[in-house]
Amino acid sequence: MSQHQVLESTRLQLRPLETSDEDSIVEFMSERKVTEFLLHFGYPICREQVRSWLNNVLSATPEQCGYWALVDKESGRLIGVICLTLDSYNRKGEIGYWMAKNYWGRGLMTEATWRVAQYCFDTLKLHRLELTHMVANKASQRVSEKVGFQLEGCWREGHWKDGQFKDVKIYGMLAVDYERARKRFAAVDPVE
Ligand SMILES: CC(C)(COP(=O)(O)OP(=O)(O)OC[C@H]1O[C@@H](n2cnc3c(N)ncnc32)[C@H](O)[C@@H]1OP(=O)(O)O)[C@@H](O)C(=O)NCCC(=O)NCCS
């Protein structure tokens, strides 16, 4: 397999990122709020930074990671990104994500994260998924909780952002947690 497969949820298509996605990513990452809690992007964002990040991402193998563009099925627009970094020896992965501000609060990242969790446990047969976010990032906390991640602890001053060390919450989802969450999601998002 040269890249991770295209995934679909009720409102989104999750397809592998492409070089031509640069403009859309620059556009929605130019909003300060989108980069507020991101580790690898500061504000203001510059096109060269996005291009170099995209080149790195596209040169990684699927054994290392997967990056999906989140495409709104209704408009066909790229509205976010979700990434999965893999540790095959330990059968675990780590999820990260961001979304264009105009689309926040509609349950879209919960939907996308759940779809990637399904792919990780059902297709890749992972044992564990991880997700971290800065303590102040309440939206990301809610996404973690809604998808069924368990809070496992905190890295004190674990991330350097905007000239300060920030506390970071760490979440995990085991295959057994996923099985528990599955019933709940089947009712909300019937796309399996
Ligand atoms: C985090 C992010 C991806 C969430 O995307 P989204 O599509 O808005 O997420 P959802 O709509 O699925 O869920 C968001 C939840 O957070 C809640 N929320 C948002 N801001 C909140 C706040 N300040 N305090 C408490 N809850 C908040 C929403 O009400 C919603 O919960 P609900 O469904 O119970 O009402 C988006 O805010 C984002 O891109 N942020 C910038 C990038 C980022 O922080 N990425 C994560 C780095 S770890």
Side-chain angles (χ1 to χ4, degrees):
M1 186 168 58
S2 62
Q3 58 189 8
H4 291 279
Q5 67 193 61
V6 174
L7 305 174
E8 216 170 299
S9 64
T10 306
R11 292 172 290 174
L12 298 169
Q13 185 195 48
L14 290 72
R15 60 147 176 83
L17 277 177
E18 299 162 359
T19 318
S20 58
D21 291 327
E22 181 182 304
D23 284 349
S24 309
I25 296 174
V26 169
E27 188 189 325
F28 75 69
M29 301 271 297
S30 297
E31 171 72 54
R32 182 191 283 270
K33 280 280 179 194
V34 174
T35 59
E36 186 180 0
F37 297 114
L38 293 183
L39 264 191
H40 304 296
F41 295 99
Y43 182 85
I45 196 84
C46 72
R47 178 172 291 275
E48 288 65 36
Q49 200 183 359
V50 171
R51 184 171 301 161
S52 126
W53 170 82
L54 203 48
N55 284 339
N56 277 340
V57 160
L58 296 176
S59 63
T61 68
E63 291 73 32
Q64 296 168 312
C65 63
Y67 280 79
W68 287 271
L70 306 183
V71 178
D72 174 31
K73 282 186 188 172
E74 206 173 285
S75 64
R77 291 179 65 121
L78 189 163
I79 60 167
V81 172
I82 189 159
C83 60
L84 170 69
T85 309
L86 290 167
D87 169 353
S88 56
Y89 181 81
N90 293 304
R91 282 176 49 212
K92 69 178 181 177
E94 181 178 354
I95 285 184
Y97 43 59
W98 56 98
M99 169 148 302
K101 190 164 179 303
N102 286 347
Y103 290 82
W104 288 8
R106 304 182 194 182
L108 286 165
M109 195 51 85
T110 302
E111 184 177 314
T113 305
W114 174 250
R115 188 65 192 89
V116 171
Q118 284 181 309
Y119 176 65
C120 288
F121 290 111
D122 293 342
T123 305
L124 301 182
K125 305 293 179 199
L126 294 190
H127 178 65
R128 175 181 163 81
L129 259 186
E130 296 174 352
L131 196 158
T132 66
H133 63 76
M134 291 174 211
V135 167
N137 193 349
K138 301 297 180 199
S140 192
Q141 177 177 330
R142 275 300 290 148
V143 172
S144 322
E145 291 166 353
K146 287 193 289 179
V147 171
F149 282 84
Q150 307 288 317
L151 180 63
E152 296 182 335
C154 178
W155 293 326
R156 292 174 307 139
E157 303 191 359
H159 286 168
W160 176 255
K161 178 72 179 173
D162 295 338
Q164 280 184 313
F165 286 109
K166 309 280 186 178
D167 291 345
V168 178
K169 284 187 171 175
I170 49 178
Y171 287 83
M173 182 189 252
L174 300 181
V176 288
D177 301 324
Y178 167 70
E179 288 305 330
R180 258 182 247 126
R182 186 201 275 283
K183 289 188 189 75
R184 195 160 38 82
F185 266 90
V188 181
D189 187 356
V191 178
E192 288 284 327

